[in-house]
Amino acid sequence: MKRKIYLFLMVFFSVITFAQKTVSGKITDEDGVAIPSASVTIEEPGKDAILAYGITNSKGEYKVSFISSESNVDLKVKAFNQRPLTKQITNSDQTLTFKLQSEATEIKEVQLKTKMITSRGDTIAYDLKAFDNKSDRTLADIMKKIPGIEVKTDGTILYQGNAINKFYVEGKDLMEGGYGTITNSLPKDAVAKLEVLENHQPVKMLQGKIPSDAAAINIKLKKAVTMTGRGEVGAGFGDPWLWNLKLTPMFFSKKQQWVVNYKTNNMGEQVENEGNILAFGSSWEGRRGNASQNNWLGVENAAVPNLPVKRYLFNNVHYLSANYLTNIDSKKEWELKANANYTNNVVERESNSITRDFQQGTQYNTRFLNNFYTDKLKGELIFTKNAKKGFFKNTTTFSQFWNGDRAFAERNDRIGYRSGNESLQSPTSSFQNSLSTIIPWKEKMVNLKSYINYQDDRQTLEISPANYLQLPYKNLVKDTITNINFASGSRALQDFRIRTLDTSHSANISFTTKGWTFTPEVGIDFSTDRLNTNFQGTAIPNPLIPGDIPLNFNDASYENDLKFTEITPRASVTANYKSDAWNVWASFPVNFNNIKAEDAFRNVSKTLNKTTFTPNIFAQYGFASFFKASINGNISNNFGDIQTAYAGYVLTSPSGFNVMNPKNPIPQTNTKSGGARLEYRNPLNNLFFNVGYRISDTKNNLLASSAVNDLGFSVVEYIESENKRSNNSYYAEIGKYFPKFKTNASVTFNDTTSKSQSRRNNEDINTKNDANSLGFKFNNTYFSWMSVDFNFTKTWNKQSNGIISNDLGKTENYSHNLNVFFYPLENHTVGFYWDQINSNLGDTKLNNGFFDVSYQFSWSAKKVDFELKWMNIADKKVFERISVGDATITQTTMQLRPSQVMLAVKFNFK
């Protein structure tokens, strides 16, 4: 492995340094007056390909770096009302000054022709007309075809393989990271350009001082005041009757923006996650995140297939959201944003599984039927000032959940057949407030940040009848292991509550000298969790064991009253450097960790006091106009949380009680990671690629082991034994747009090797996993009568640990998505869709294909589409999958949506 790393780094840095040359100088007219905005390009003689380019500044100065194996290159200079100049120069570092001769430009005819991709500084602009086809209607439809940009299934937008940090419309961040609503519903006809803002620092005070390696996206609209949006009304044949309604009006102006979104359907389309935060901005803006529940308890869940959600989701969803932004001062520096969303959703799910345990030599069958009920509300109020001379941002968020899960479970194992009903109620209240302000102080900047989060989670798990549990325990009379004999017809009830208070406060001061910005910071983090649990059940003597003494669930062993507190004072120094070529960021924090866990009735009393140093370094170098090379490395520490400290039995699931040994020390995890990356993005020839390497090494001081205690229950114990997890990954992506053929194509590859250590049934297990994946994406709109979208992913995985070996540990998966659209007549579209998912495990091969067809008529004058779509033509009702565990192989059959026909009317708001 070290040899691989050395070889990669040697090649990586040789690319950076080999034959890189820089030409700089000044461009003037005949009178010696500087010429701004003149273009300077470097080309190889006899080849129609630009190696690098530059634009002169207001002083007429230019600087161009390039790489070429030729001994000579051509330098070309062009400027308005000046005679173009071409000069062959040697392939070496040099300074050249040129005087251009005046030459009036006589324009006989003016034709406006927009380039599909243009670049200026750190901004790359895409003309969406170059990438769309006749079947595209929204921004999301086109973005999937743009070179260098990828849209994942959850809506996250990646640029050069990394998630964007901001999504703007006309420079305003209305959605605050939850941009899925806009990308899915903004009509393509309203968009003039899509801009990628590379190395984007969203805080204006920090631009040019605190660098960023992330990119942002800005949408430029055709009109200064835009009223637009997208709507759809659909109904279909199925069991039951199907519906689909989408209404998303939008308004954008210089002072105000708003988006209202209501979507409901029962035909398998997942819309409730559109408001999820996908872009998190800068840490200088404070803290943001998606509100989530502390789910300790759970019913048994049916499995879901690795298919597009629309193939298997039995839903009944209503999702309503509203986002509003307005400027509240005359200078348009202060913004008020109000966001809210509400979700009501019911999901049905079913699966059947056969599991073989090679270590125990057993086999068992399971069947689960689920109903998941989601009922949640979120509101957010944001005040922001983002100006060159001041920054302020306060975000207040309230979230409320009233969720509930239901399950009917059937099992047939060594005990025999049994069935049970499971119910989980899980209400949660959450309040967050994040404040960050940057105040200029002479030549310095003072940043104050405060974050407060309070969350109250309650869960109640009910199992009926209680005897479904079949929990083993040690009978003290006969000294044998038997199952708990619950009273006939009784139920088991697990109550759970955790209250969490999490705060973080910090202050820093930044000052700049010689291009460097230094930021010393002090802060303190405080969090406390209070856990209360109680189990209720009625056990009676086992009639097969004379003198049996049943368990007493009123004992304190089945309760928890645990307080877990973390106090971490911290100090750090951050250094930043930004120049035309370099982008450097380094942080050197020292954390004083103090952790305490207490539960007197269950003999929990443990503390940890430890000082940690967790440096984080990133450096990026741009060269030859189109290349960026970067390296990064960091060290992080993680300590056990409340889930590693409780000592009272908790029925976390119907599979049994979980508990921690009160003598367990607090876990400590140290992770070292690093990586190197090379990027190339050339908008002149529409070529983008990136290649990189990632490595991580994690050390734990404890090894988790499941053991049986004196009562026969499974107890998680930690053995003081250092164990490691390592991960090595190579990845590459290349994409190019071919204008002549109206084709966008990209290829991705990933190779990952991971090693880990674990313990099962008191046996140490060393697991090695080798995974490879290959992906390909292809879009073509060359023919006026047809367009094609195709992508596939092929993965290979090999797992070995001494238990699973040979072909049993080898799996292969292949999936593709093909969409072909035919345009036989004007305003008529016929679509064909093919999803294929194949999986292999040894001699077992599972192939699953799905086919859809559609017909669409477009009323061009009104911008209305009428669509008739037949989904799952073959009426495939189940999906099969094979999965491999440490010592098990499971074959699962999952229920799918049947064949269905939908008629929809789709339209734009203006």
Side-chain angles (χ1 to χ4, degrees), residues 133-158:
N133 61 39
K134 296 179 181 179
S135 62
D136 293 333
R137 291 295 180 267
T138 66
L139 176 62
D141 293 335
I142 304 177
M143 289 182 64
K144 298 174 183 178
K145 306 168 187 176
I146 296 177
I149 293 178
E150 177 186 356
V151 182
K152 301 183 71 175
T153 54
D154 67 350
T156 302
I157 299 172
L158 306 182

Side-chain angles (χ1 to χ4, degrees), residues 6 58 117 164 211 241 281 285 326 429 470 627 778 830 835 866 878 908:
Y6 174 76
S58 59
I117 306 178
I164 63 172
W241 174 76
E285 298 179 81
T326 185
S429 300
Q470 293 296 299
F627 285 93
F778 173 86
V830 177
D835 292 333
F866 300 90
V878 297
N908 291 348

Side-chain angles (χ1 to χ4, degrees), residues 235-266:
F237 304 99
D239 184 18
W241 174 76
L242 305 174
W243 77 82
N244 186 18
L245 174 64
K246 302 178 182 179
L247 299 172
T248 313
M250 307 176 182
F251 176 80
F252 303 99
S253 70
K254 293 183 178 180
K255 185 177 180 179
Q256 291 186 354
Q257 294 185 354
W258 56 259
V259 173
V260 177
N261 183 33
Y262 174 65
K263 295 183 178 178
T264 177
N265 74 85
N266 71 338

Side-chain angles (χ1 to χ4, degrees), residues 249-323:
M250 307 176 182
F251 176 80
F252 303 99
S253 70
K254 293 183 178 180
K255 185 177 180 179
Q256 291 186 354
Q257 294 185 354
W258 56 259
V259 173
V260 177
N261 183 33
Y262 174 65
K263 295 183 178 178
T264 177
N265 74 85
N266 71 338
M267 42 82 70
E269 185 170 352
Q270 193 175 45
V271 298
E272 63 273 16
N273 294 328
E274 279 193 344
N276 284 355
I277 300 173
L278 304 174
F280 295 88
S282 165
S283 61
W284 293 82
E285 298 179 81
R287 290 173 62 173
R288 285 183 57 75
N290 292 306
S292 61
Q293 297 178 282
N294 280 311
N295 290 318
W296 282 42
L297 314 183
V299 300
E300 293 174 296
N301 292 336
V304 295
N306 56 330
L307 290 172
V309 174
K310 64 181 180 181
R311 300 294 183 189
Y312 65 85
L313 182 64
F314 292 86
N315 68 330
N316 185 329
V317 63
H318 297 267
Y319 176 72
L320 173 65
S321 68
N323 298 74

Side-chain angles (χ1 to χ4, degrees), residues 287 451-453 501-505 523-529 563-570 594:
R287 290 173 62 173
Y451 173 78
I452 299 173
N453 173 48
L501 176 63
D502 184 16
T503 68
S504 178
H505 307 283
I524 183 168
D525 298 335
F526 170 82
S527 68
T528 180
D529 297 284
K563 185 177 181 181
F564 192 92
T565 305
E566 296 183 70
I567 303 175
T568 307
R570 51 189 170 84
N594 302 275

Side-chain angles (χ1 to χ4, degrees), residues 801-910:
N801 56 19
I803 302 173
I804 295 293
S805 59
N806 301 325
D807 290 341
L808 291 177
K810 294 181 180 179
T811 59
E812 292 185 17
N813 294 280
Y814 170 83
S815 64
H816 79 231
N817 174 258
L818 173 66
N819 298 336
V820 182
F821 299 95
F822 299 95
Y823 314 103
L825 298 171
E826 185 70 21
N827 298 325
H828 296 264
T829 302
V830 177
F832 173 75
Y833 312 82
W834 176 15
D835 292 333
Q836 184 70 39
I837 298 91
N838 301 338
S839 60
N840 298 345
L841 176 62
D843 295 330
T844 303
K845 297 183 179 181
L846 302 175
N847 299 325
N848 297 271
F850 301 88
F851 304 92
D852 309 330
V853 293
S854 68
Y855 166 73
Q856 180 173 284
F857 170 73
S858 300
W859 187 4
S860 300
K862 300 295 184 179
K863 293 185 179 181
V864 176
D865 298 322
F866 300 90
E867 182 188 62
L868 180 65
K869 191 170 186 178
W870 183 9
M871 292 164 283
N872 193 5
I873 296 174
D875 197 22
K876 194 174 182 67
K877 292 184 171 64
V878 297
F879 177 86
E880 294 181 298
R881 181 178 66 202
I882 295 177
S883 57
V884 180
D886 285 343
T888 60
I889 291 181
T890 301
Q891 183 169 336
T892 304
T893 302
M894 293 151 278
Q895 294 297 308
L896 301 178
R897 293 191 67 89
S899 181
Q900 58 190 42
V901 178
M902 291 287 297
L903 176 63
V905 180
K906 305 177 182 181
F907 54 92
N908 291 348
F909 290 98
K910 292 190 177 182

Side-chain angles (χ1 to χ4, degrees), residues 601-664:
F601 286 100
R602 276 145 292 273
N603 299 316
V604 177
S605 180
K606 57 186 72 176
T607 60
L608 183 144
N609 299 288
K610 188 169 185 178
T611 301
T612 58
F613 176 59
T614 55
N616 193 352
I617 299 174
F618 170 82
Q620 183 184 78
Y621 178 61
F623 60 101
S625 295
F626 308 117
F627 285 93
K628 289 182 180 179
S630 62
I631 58 173
N632 68 83
N634 69 80
I635 298 175
S636 63
N637 287 279
N638 184 48
F639 303 100
D641 56 21
I642 194 169
Q643 295 194 45
T644 66
Y646 68 97
Y649 296 106
V650 179
L651 189 73
T652 56
S653 74
S655 60
F657 287 107
N658 275 2
V659 68
M660 297 292 168
N661 191 324
K663 297 180 181 179
N664 288 340

